[in-house]
Amino acid sequence: MDEELVEIWSNYDRQTVFNYVETRLHHYLFTKIMKDEAEIMSKIIEIDANELKAFKVDYFLNIDATQDLIKNFDKLEDMIGDNDPTQSPYNEILRVIKYIFENIKNDDANRIKNKNFDDDKLERINEELLANKKELSKILKKDIFKNIEKPDIIDVNLLEFAAKSTDRLFNLARIYEVYDELFVFPDKMELYNTIVNIILPAMSNDKLFELYVLLNTLEALEKTKGKITFQKAGVRELAEYYMQIEENSMEHTTVMQIFFHDLPEELEAKFKPILKYPYICLRMKNSVKARNITRTSYLLLEIERITDNQIKYKCKATEDIRNILVVWDHRLFNDEKSHIKVLDYKTLQMGLNKSFGNIFKFPNIENVDAILEYIPYFEEKKDGFIYTENGQKYYDEEADFFKDDLYQENIYRTFDDLKDWEEKGWRYINNHELIKRLDLLTIMKLIYLIMQKENTRPGFLATLMEDGTILTILKRLEEIRNVNESEITELYSPYKKLKCCPIHDPDFYAEKEKEMDDLLARKADEVDEK
């Protein structure tokens, strides 16, 4: 039985997340993503057209100028007094009011029902909406409106005259301005005001946090050197991220597709067993698909409220998947090794920056330290890294974690073409003394070669674990790590700072050693001749 979830998010937690969403929402929704409000609501906020209309009506009816007119309409009646309401200026005033109030009253957006909102807050909005519409009906039934014709449109001259005639009583110009920008010619600013003042405050913690994760994700990507392109309505992915870098006279291209609500079909089918894992029940699945020429990987951002005990369970990883489990309202229990990186809202930005910054890049000091933690395991265990069950080969649990971490910690990195280099790689595997001289880049090439062979010949990695190749590689990596430790930052250090001093090419050194051996041999011959 699943452990019961108890919501422990405090008001402070919610306000912190709310403030972040509020400040960044306008930037992404109205300047970076879509210009059409229907796209924004369907793709991001998850509100249909009728629900959006109801929220906008509620916002309009609750602005100060509208409430002042509704509550103090008797002031206008006193101003008209015994005068004929069909005569100027009363006719113009009443025509503008009738146009606005009748359109609002007759609107079919009367009740909102949406699972992404707090039930109590949504009920208050619905009650408020109904009460305000009843007030409009009462006003429109007054005798002074009997012979007033509702105009088809409000022209500038009519509005200006009516507003000037009531400027001492009400702000009719402001009332119509907001109405026009909400319902006639939709304006970004009034839509944003509706979202911030009505929609966001009514959201459930779950949905608010999902927005928080999305905006953090976009912000983390914007800090990189790539470019984000947001997709139009009808396209399954929300956005596409593109980055191209040149390295060692070779171009590396990274393309990431961001899916906010639904996974791409091929991913959903391929990793269905993972996504259906009983303790990782996703309400919302977010993924980033990254690919270059030789390998495709998936970064799944799973947003979930989850208990301490549930985090203990491990979702089985494959070499193609990286998982980040984002939780918002529970203490984190994450002292086991797992391919799932667990973040809460306080660590989200840092975790996302690291995850995106590391895609197809060199490992940083934190990555290296994580992989070096396996040294005691390989020192103590000499065999039994793999076993066969029902004809299938399975790695020991710790060895399996090591495989996952080679990907997670960016020790494994793709290389476009190593065919010409493969012969050298086999020389290193067959001669551990050569491994002791490798630099970081060559170690990564060697890991890539090993894992490519593992993919085609399952169990190859276990053989290298048993013969000491992997331990020798880790020991060399530890030496590189410790050479210039003071110069390496704790997080996000670039590759150039994680190096042996000086960096040396093992092939160059092997050649020099051969020259030295030949020189010594010649010297020895000369001594013998004498």
Side-chain angles (χ1 to χ4, degrees), residues 83-128:
N83 296 307
D84 184 355
T86 63
Q87 298 300 308
S88 182
Y90 314 119
N91 179 268
E92 289 81 358
I93 297 169
L94 294 174
R95 287 176 70 202
V96 171
I97 294 174
K98 189 169 186 176
Y99 173 86
I100 297 171
F101 280 10
E102 272 204 3
N103 286 340
I104 292 292
K105 179 183 75 71
N106 296 330
D107 194 287
D108 59 356
N110 296 314
R111 187 168 184 81
I112 307 166
K113 188 176 182 181
N114 189 304
K115 61 183 177 61
N116 291 316
F117 292 84
D118 179 271
D119 290 339
D120 292 336
K121 293 176 181 177
L122 207 55
E123 188 58 34
R124 284 197 293 272
I125 290 175
N126 287 328
E127 290 174 357
E128 193 174 61

Side-chain angles (χ1 to χ4, degrees), residues 46-63:
E46 290 186 291
I47 298 173
D48 64 31
N50 207 50
E51 290 168 341
L52 173 59
K53 196 183 295 184
F55 278 119
K56 289 163 73 172
V57 168
D58 185 61
Y59 167 71
F60 170 74
L61 291 173
N62 280 286
I63 64 172

